[in-house]
Amino acid sequence: MSLRGKAAVKSPWILHVNCGSCNGCDIEILAALTPRFDVERFGMLHMGNPKHADVLLVTGPANRRNAKVLKNLYEQTPEPKVVVAVGTCASTGGVFYNCPNVLGGIDEVIPVDVYIPGCAARPEAIIDGVILALKKLAKGAE
Amino acid sequence: MTEYFTSSLIILPLFLALISAFSYNRTLRYVLAYLTLTSLTVMSILTFIRAQGVIITLDYPSQVGLIITTLDMLLLLYFLYVGIKKRHVLVVILAFLQVIPLIHLETVIHEVRASPTFLIDPLSATMCLIICIIGSLIVVYSLSYMEEHEKHLHLKKTRQPRFLFFMILFLAAMNGVVISNNLYWLYFFWEVTTFCCYQLIRHDLTEQSEKNALLALWVGLIGGVAFIGSMYLGVYYVYSLSIAEILRAKASVYIPLTLALLSLAAFTKSAQIPFQSWLLGAMIAPTPVSALLHSSTMVKAGVYLILRMTPAMSNFPALSYCIAAVGGLSFLSASVLAINQRESKKVLAYSTISNLGLIILCAGINTPLALMAAMFLLIFHAISKGLLFLGAGVIENRVLTRNIEHWEGMLGKYPLSAMVMLLGMVMMYLPPFGMLIGKWLTIESASSLKAISIPLVLILSIGGATTTFFWSKWMGCMLTHPPALFELKPEKIPFSYKLSMLTMVGIDVALSIFAGLVAAIIDLALKVLRGEAPVPYSLLGIFTDMGSFLTIPLILSFLVAIVLALVIARLRGGSMAPPYLCGENVSRDPYSFISTVDKPVKFDVSNLYFDRSLGSPSVNKTLTLIGMILLAFMFSLVVI
Amino acid sequence: MFERIILSLIFLTTSPILGGILRGMDRKLTARFQNRIGPPIIQPFYDVIKLWSKKPIISSNLQPVFAGLYSLLSLIALALVIFGQDLLMAVFTLSSADVSMILGSYSIRSPYSYVGARRELIQVLTSEPLLVLTSVGFYFATGSFGVSEILGLGKPLILSLPGFFIAFLMALPIEARKSPFDISASHHAHQEIVRGVFTEFSGYSLALIEIGHWIKLILFLSILGLFFPNNLLFGAVIAFLSYFLTIMVDNIFPRLTWSAMLKGVWTISLILISLNLISLFGGVLG
């Protein structure tokens, strides 16, 4: 792996976007960021700003209101980037599938690289999913 | 023969001014302004070169003095008339307080020595350079400015001849102030500058400008009364009206009183605390007036007078430190209050008061290094502040507002003028430019005074930080712009604007690069003033026994840094992205975001002004009170 | 003389790397305080390389120029100190580096960036007098503003300048953006103003700013070490311990509001400095 690829894998910065989820997956993501699971040992830092992010962690289904927001944030994130859909709602729409205003999973709006199923997804699964995404990130960096 | 040539520094602009009073033809005005520029520049440079190492003196017979006396009386009678017509009690009283003693003084004045009439040493020659070059550049600028100004006011008949008359007359009077050695002549020229100031502030004839002009008039007249007091002391205790002789007189109890009175006059002219309000009110005048009188030249007359007195001040350290205290108080308080100002010219006015206070502080410290610092600050402030006022005038004529919050993104709209202003602001407080070198010299010289240094360095460090604050704040505001609306369109501005502003930028940059050379020239001026050798100089920088400022290496490394930063930015580039607004950017409107009900809402960005602590009017009143107490203390010191 | 120049040059060129390692140690220590493992010590280098290789996105043409100026001007300031030049000149160069970053984040019309720039101005307002006064303090104790002269004198300056030392220690968390003075970038509380000054910087601009931080950190620690010119190794240890203290304080204390920071730091440090100066001239201290 080249230096750029290695650096991309060793320093993935995360942006956490809530697209209308029930907050269950959000709580699990926050739990993953706590000292108990210590994702900072992988170099992961939670950034509140898409311009600083490499990994977009999205929860909740895509709906007509936040489709624009999601697209906007996706475009403001510089390449190389990966999108990780956390939870069943983000993957397919979950319990909200086919509800009024719900477009489905977030892959209706932006391209997704890794799907993490679960309602809510467990922190261990989230970390696993992000690490899986990192391999794609490394390829994108080279 | 060459000696008489130097009096043309006064006579030539006087002559040009008289013609300007009738210059209703636009071409004639342009010719006169450019003639002023060329002739005064040449004359002042020649005088400067001639004055290196040699003192030029010129003596006029007493018959010429009679002309001066007559003109002076006429001027004072005019002031009386103004006071009566506008029903302003203070003006009337202060004019009377000058007329009556002067009539008495006339009876004894011919018994008194007063030669030479004019004395040009390197200090005067440097002041002449500043007055003539910067002053005439501003006169050239005012050609286009006043045309635009009168267009905005929809004036039917142009009043530019009157304007030009007073501007060029003022240059003549300022030259007179700095080359006069006869105290009475200096006092006369001083009053002429007050007169020009009054006429120029009220040029637009609005109610507010009349009020502010009267304020400037009576504060200036206080200085006139102080001059009369010092003339009395000179006549009765030194038997001389020659400034050189008065300053060299044996240290008797009346000399510090004379010095205190002259410093009082200087404080009124330089708008130090407690006399600061007239300068703030004077900002209502057209911008060339603010540039010429209230930043580059007239207010420098006050600091020039104090610098002239420094050899005598070294015999009276208590008085010196009082003068330094007034300067320090003005420096700190004006610098802090500038943070609170939203009007562009008010910020510049407070900054002027602050820098003048700094110069007076250095003069009060009165070590050779401090005087070097004072001269540096004087020269570079005249250029940079004049430049800032010119740029502010250009932008103000285009956006029709002085509120700096509405000057957001000027760099995109008026690139050249905004760039000039930004450069001017950078040159006011950032390395490697001359003002910063002056500040560096000030701090180093203020540290050398043992225990007195403690309050001085505290004032200097806090004042320096607040200066950085308000300049950076304003610069940032002018730079703020939404992305992709930033295409530098070429800006069309009249030639006289370009000539004046870009020449001043060039002079400032050149002098900063060759600061070592400037230090050498100042060294010579100070030698003549004190007979000492202050600072060893080299072209590479300024070296004192306390520290060294490497000007050329610093400038080179800054240049390399800027070029490198530009190259990296160019090479890597980047695609434009909208700012982060939580994903709610509006696609074609960078000033809004999408809010509730999917409606776009405009958002504002604004700066810090500390209104709660600095905005109340009691702040100014308290300051004036503190200033008056300080002055009272200073006078009680000299009298007791 | 020649070897001195070579040594200084080596120190100058390795200072960003040293600064990066210090920042890595900072994150590791913070992690240990919070009972977790934390990133490897060379993590900041991974961060900077990753940032540099991102596809550039800018919000204003001037923004990357100001970011580059920030790190380059900090390097000039550090070079001035390392090559023994005038300390006051270095302080003014440092403040011009700060101003260039402030202007960089002002140059984008974004609310978070603007608020961050305002707060950064307050930080500069708070710390600049402390830096200027420290240089003056060195002059009072040694008779010179030049770093090589101060070093040459070899007096343990901490004995004559304890107040200045403590005041300068208060400037360190302001510069390093650590609580209680983490107000302009809200380093730890991202949601207050997102990332404040740094919100709109990304990619190579952010990498340049990060490198600038490292250089500034080394500069501040060098000035701290300058308080011990008789034994520079001891000085380096004290500097490192001060940084450790800053990290510890960062983990214990909450953030202050900017007005509390301004009033608090100015009051305490100006009182300490005045007392120090008075005792210097009263002959109480060396």
Side-chain angles (χ1 to χ4, degrees):
Chain A
M1 212 187 310
S2 76
L3 190 58
R4 296 162 72 122
K6 184 153 190 241
V9 168
K10 287 283 195 175
S11 159
W13 285 358
I14 297 178
L15 173 67
H16 167 209
V17 185
N18 178 340
C19 262
S21 96
C22 68
N23 283 344
C25 293
D26 299 309
I27 296 175
E28 301 301 325
I29 292 178
L30 288 177
L33 296 173
T34 54
R36 181 181 166 85
F37 294 97
D38 191 20
V39 291
E40 202 185 342
R41 64 198 147 109
F42 304 122
M44 290 186 210
L45 277 180
H46 180 214
M47 292 291 168
N49 181 2
K51 293 201 169 81
H52 295 176
D54 309 296
V55 180
L56 280 169
L57 275 181
V58 192
T59 63
N63 56 54
R64 287 208 185 91
R65 177 58 176 91
N66 64 40
K68 280 179 293 191
V69 176
L70 195 53
K71 238 189 151 30
N72 182 309
L73 291 174
Y74 180 74
E75 273 152 18
Q76 277 189 34
T77 316
E79 295 280 353
K81 56 193 169 195
V82 286
V83 179
V84 176
V86 177
T88 328
C89 293
S91 312
T92 59
V95 285
F96 304 110
Y97 180 72
N98 239 353
C99 289
N101 256 345
V102 173
L103 296 170
I106 58 170
D107 50 9
E108 305 283 339
V109 182
I110 55 177
V112 175
D113 297 289
V114 172
Y115 298 86
I116 305 176
C119 184
R122 309 180 79 211
E124 294 93 333
I126 295 172
I127 299 177
D128 263 347
V130 175
I131 304 231
L132 193 61
L134 289 182
K135 299 207 179 63
K136 261 197 154 175
L137 192 61
K139 253 199 290 238
E142 299 183 18
Chain B
M1 211 55 235
T2 41
E3 282 75 19
Y4 283 96
F5 165 77
T6 53
S7 61
S8 60
L9 281 167
I10 303 175
I11 298 181
L12 184 59
L14 179 62
F15 177 61
L16 287 168
L18 287 169
I19 306 182
S20 314
F22 303 100
S23 61
Y24 283 92
N25 182 321
R26 184 174 179 268
T27 320
L28 180 60
R29 283 199 297 272
Y30 272 71
V31 163
L32 282 169
Y34 282 103
L35 204 59
T36 316
L37 176 63
T38 41
S39 58
L40 282 181
T41 308
V42 164
M43 283 197 317
S44 58
I45 292 181
L46 284 175
T47 313
F48 183 75
I49 296 175
R50 183 82 168 73
Q52 290 313 306
V54 160
I55 299 182
I56 310 174
T57 60
L58 177 54
D59 208 1
Y60 274 114
S62 46
Q63 288 84 353
V64 184
L66 214 59
I67 304 179
I68 300 288
T69 317
T70 326
L71 287 172
D72 189 44
M73 278 299 172
L74 285 172
L75 192 59
L76 286 171
L77 288 173
Y78 174 75
F79 287 149
L80 257 177
Y81 160 72
V82 164
I84 295 174
K85 180 163 159 218
K86 313 272 180 185
R87 297 179 225 280
H88 200 288
V89 180
L90 273 168
V91 170
V92 174
I93 296 178
L94 289 168
F96 257 122
L97 277 176
Q98 294 179 57
V99 170
I100 309 293
L102 262 181
I103 298 176
H104 173 245
L105 211 57
E106 279 312 306
T107 57
V108 284
I109 218 163
H110 50 271
E111 299 167 8
V112 157
R113 295 188 303 274
S115 67
T117 325
F118 292 147
L119 191 150
I120 305 183
D121 62 356
L123 174 63
S124 309
T126 316
M127 288 294 301
C128 255
L129 262 184
I130 297 175
I131 295 165
C132 292
I133 300 183
I134 309 286
S136 36
L137 279 173
I138 296 176
V139 168
V140 167
Y141 167 92
S142 70
L143 290 170
S144 299
Y145 182 90
M146 290 310 282
E147 278 172 11
E148 292 179 359
H149 185 69
E150 296 193 334
K151 206 158 52 171
H152 288 146
L153 292 176
H154 305 295
L155 277 187
K156 283 185 288 276
K157 182 166 178 231
T158 179
R159 298 182 66 233
Q160 286 186 55
R162 174 188 184 275
F163 188 80
L164 217 54
F165 167 68
F166 281 115
M167 293 279 276
I168 305 182
L169 178 67
F170 168 77
L171 288 179
M174 267 308 289
N175 275 336
V177 166
V178 302
I179 67 176
S180 291
N181 179 53
N182 183 329
L183 190 55
Y184 186 55
W185 286 50
L186 195 150
Y187 157 73
F188 167 65
F189 288 120
W190 189 279
E191 293 288 82
V192 175
T193 63
T194 310
F195 168 64
C196 292
C197 178
Y198 169 71
Q199 294 295 353
L200 283 169
I201 295 179
R202 65 186 278 263
H203 178 82
D204 283 335
L205 296 178
T206 64
E207 190 190 322
Q208 186 66 37
S209 60
E210 294 274 7
K211 233 173 58 162
N212 294 352
L214 282 170
L215 175 62
L217 183 59
W218 72 259
V219 175
L221 285 178
I222 297 178
V225 174
F227 259 108
I228 304 272
S230 61
M231 281 199 284
Y232 259 95
L233 289 168
V235 164
Y236 281 106
Y237 294 105
V238 190
Y239 302 109
S240 170
L241 275 180
S242 153
I243 297 177
E245 271 187 52
I246 294 177
L247 291 177
R248 273 199 303 266
K250 255 186 1 224
S252 75
V253 71
Y254 297 103
I255 297 301
L257 186 56
T258 318
L259 294 178
L261 283 169
L262 286 174
S263 354
L264 180 64
F267 292 151
T268 62
K269 191 62 85 175
S270 296
Q272 299 298 290
I273 314 281
F275 305 113
Q276 78 278 19
S277 33
W278 77 260
L279 189 61
L280 304 169
M283 289 298 127
I284 203 168
T287 306
V289 176
S290 309
L292 184 57
L293 270 68
H294 306 134
S295 59
S296 298
T297 339
M298 188 176 88
V299 292
K300 295 283 187 295
V303 298
Y304 160 78
L305 191 59
I306 296 195
L307 281 172
R308 182 56 75 212
M309 295 194 299
T310 46
M313 271 161 54
S314 45
N315 295 327
F316 307 104
L319 178 64
S320 266
Y321 294 140
C322 276
I323 294 177
V326 172
L329 176 66
S330 310
F331 166 63
L332 184 59
S333 50
S335 178
V336 168
L337 284 176
I339 299 178
N340 184 248
Q341 300 307 311
R342 280 175 176 73
E343 202 191 300
S344 58
K345 287 175 70 172
K346 284 266 173 68
V347 177
L348 295 175
Y350 272 105
S351 162
T352 305
I353 300 174
S354 173
N355 281 304
L356 291 172
L358 198 57
I359 301 176
I360 292 180
L361 177 72
C362 289
I365 296 176
N366 212 356
T367 66
L369 194 61
L371 291 176
M372 166 85 71
M375 290 295 295
F376 251 89
L377 289 169
L378 197 151
I379 297 172
F380 283 98
H381 178 250
I383 309 174
S384 309
K385 194 46 72 61
L387 180 64
L388 278 173
F389 268 109
L390 297 189
V394 173
I395 294 181
E396 182 196 325
N397 261 352
R398 278 150 180 71
V399 294
L400 299 176
T401 171
R402 286 183 185 173
N403 188 339
I404 61 182
E405 288 296 312
H406 298 153
W407 284 23
E408 197 187 285
M410 274 304 134
L411 192 57
K413 296 187 196 140
Y414 303 106
L416 187 57
S417 325
M419 190 63 95
V420 161
M421 278 218 72
L422 288 168
L423 257 177
M425 289 192 231
V426 164
M427 295 197 279
M428 280 298 295
Y429 73 107
L430 284 176
F433 293 105
M435 278 299 286
L436 181 87
I437 301 180
K439 205 193 294 193
W440 177 84
L441 281 167
T442 312
I443 297 181
E444 297 223 337
S445 59
S447 316
S448 58
L449 287 180
K450 300 282 177 246
I452 307 270
S453 301
I454 300 180
L456 288 179
V457 294
L458 287 175
I459 290 177
L460 283 170
S461 46
I462 297 182
T466 48
T467 309
T468 308
F469 190 91
F470 72 78
W471 285 125
S472 314
K473 179 166 63 108
W474 192 356
M475 284 182 76
C477 192
M478 287 182 74
L479 285 171
T480 308
H481 61 276
L485 279 189
F486 190 75
E487 288 145 23
L488 283 172
K489 308 183 284 292
E491 184 189 344
K492 284 178 70 64
I493 58 177
F495 175 71
S496 63
Y497 283 167
K498 269 195 273 212
L499 175 68
S500 43
M501 296 200 291
L502 294 177
T503 315
M504 289 223 238
V505 170
I507 297 177
D508 203 326
V509 171
L511 285 180
S512 300
I513 294 178
F514 294 106
L517 189 61
V518 174
I521 298 176
I522 297 176
D523 178 29
L524 196 60
L526 293 174
K527 261 207 195 73
V528 176
L529 207 59
R530 293 176 71 99
E532 285 174 39
V535 167
Y537 60 90
S538 93
L539 274 186
L540 211 60
I542 302 178
F543 300 92
T544 74
D545 53 359
M546 295 195 275
S548 52
F549 196 102
L550 303 166
T551 49
I552 305 268
L554 195 65
I555 290 186
L556 284 175
S557 35
F558 266 66
L559 210 60
V560 167
I562 294 175
V563 167
L564 210 58
L566 283 168
V567 162
I568 296 176
R570 221 20 187 348
L571 284 179
R572 294 283 302 180
S575 45
M576 279 293 189
Y580 176 65
L581 287 170
C582 305
E584 305 281 13
N585 300 73
V586 177
S587 52
R588 265 173 296 274
D589 181 4
Y591 296 96
S592 311
F593 67 99
I594 300 179
S595 182
T596 53
V597 206
D598 281 358
K599 282 251 168 9
V601 170
K602 270 196 176 317
F603 69 91
D604 262 332
V605 287
S606 69
N607 254 315
L608 281 168
Y609 291 97
F610 293 93
D611 282 322
R612 257 180 304 172
S613 33
L614 299 177
S616 62
S618 61
V619 171
N620 239 328
K621 292 202 188 91
T622 322
L623 260 178
T624 315
L625 189 62
I626 298 178
M628 293 210 275
I629 296 176
L630 197 52
L631 278 180
F633 177 69
M634 178 171 96
F635 273 96
S636 53
L637 255 182
V638 289
V639 168
I640 298 171
Chain C
M1 162 70 185
F2 197 59
E3 59 178 29
R4 202 129 182 245
I5 299 184
I6 297 288
L7 269 174
S8 308
L9 217 58
I10 294 177
F11 188 22
L12 187 66
T13 41
T14 56
S15 57
I17 303 176
L18 200 61
I21 295 180
L22 275 174
R23 286 279 292 137
M25 283 206 260
D26 165 11
R27 285 172 70 171
K28 192 77 167 167
L29 273 169
T30 310
R32 286 292 171 184
F33 279 130
Q34 295 167 359
N35 202 13
R36 52 188 178 90
I37 302 179
I41 294 197
I42 53 172
Q43 182 66 34
F45 299 104
Y46 288 134
D47 287 338
V48 164
I49 298 174
K50 177 214 75 173
L51 281 173
W52 193 270
S53 40
K54 299 262 284 179
K55 192 150 167 288
I57 281 186
I58 57 178
S59 301
S60 128
N61 283 323
L62 293 169
Q63 173 201 42
V65 180
F66 283 121
L69 269 180
Y70 175 67
S71 42
L72 289 167
L73 291 178
S74 312
L75 193 63
I76 296 178
L78 182 61
L80 283 173
V81 170
I82 291 179
F83 283 100
Q85 295 309 314
D86 194 289
L87 194 55
L88 196 55
M89 195 173 145
V91 165
F92 283 133
T93 313
L94 187 65
S95 86
S96 74
D98 284 328
V99 167
S100 103
M101 178 160 83
I102 291 172
L103 292 178
S105 64
Y106 258 121
S107 73
I108 307 150
R109 197 171 191 277
S110 144
Y112 301 110
S113 194
Y114 210 91
V115 172
R118 279 168 25 176
R119 291 189 181 182
E120 181 71 20
L121 261 181
I122 303 266
Q123 283 190 203
V124 168
L125 179 68
T126 316
S127 58
E128 189 180 315
L130 301 180
L131 294 174
V132 169
L133 283 170
T134 306
S135 324
V136 170
F138 276 119
Y139 167 76
F140 284 139
T142 62
S144 170
F145 277 96
V147 172
S148 42
E149 282 83 24
I150 296 174
L151 279 176
L153 224 56
K155 258 172 46 177
L157 292 170
I158 185 68
L159 297 175
S160 23
L161 302 174
F164 283 95
F165 186 75
I166 301 178
F168 193 80
L169 270 183
M170 294 177 87
L172 187 54
I174 297 179
E175 180 274 333
R177 299 171 202 293
K178 302 235 163 266
S179 305
F181 305 130
D182 170 27
I183 59 168
S184 77
S186 58
H187 208 253
H188 295 301
H190 306 195
Q191 314 317 327
E192 199 211 345
I193 47 173
V194 190
R195 294 290 272 161
V197 245
F198 305 128
T199 312
E200 304 297 333
F201 291 96
S202 74
Y204 68 98
S205 314
L206 199 59
L208 284 169
I209 291 183
E210 191 60 30
I211 299 178
H213 273 152
W214 301 345
I215 297 173
K216 268 183 71 175
L217 185 62
I218 298 291
L219 176 58
F220 270 67
L221 294 181
S222 311
I223 300 182
L224 271 175
L226 202 57
F227 277 89
F228 305 87
N230 52 328
N231 186 346
L232 275 180
L233 191 62
F234 185 62
V237 168
I238 295 288
F240 180 73
L241 283 178
S242 319
Y243 191 48
F244 178 80
L245 182 68
T246 313
I247 299 170
M248 199 167 74
V249 164
D250 179 33
N251 277 297
I252 301 174
F253 284 87
R255 300 162 61 217
L256 292 178
T257 59
W258 62 256
S259 46
M261 173 182 85
L262 188 60
K263 288 183 214 158
V265 171
W266 270 13
T267 320
I268 300 178
S269 54
L270 290 177
I271 291 179
L272 281 172
I273 287 179
S274 310
L275 285 174
N276 201 152
L277 281 170
I278 296 173
S279 37
L280 261 181
F281 288 119
V284 174
L285 297 170

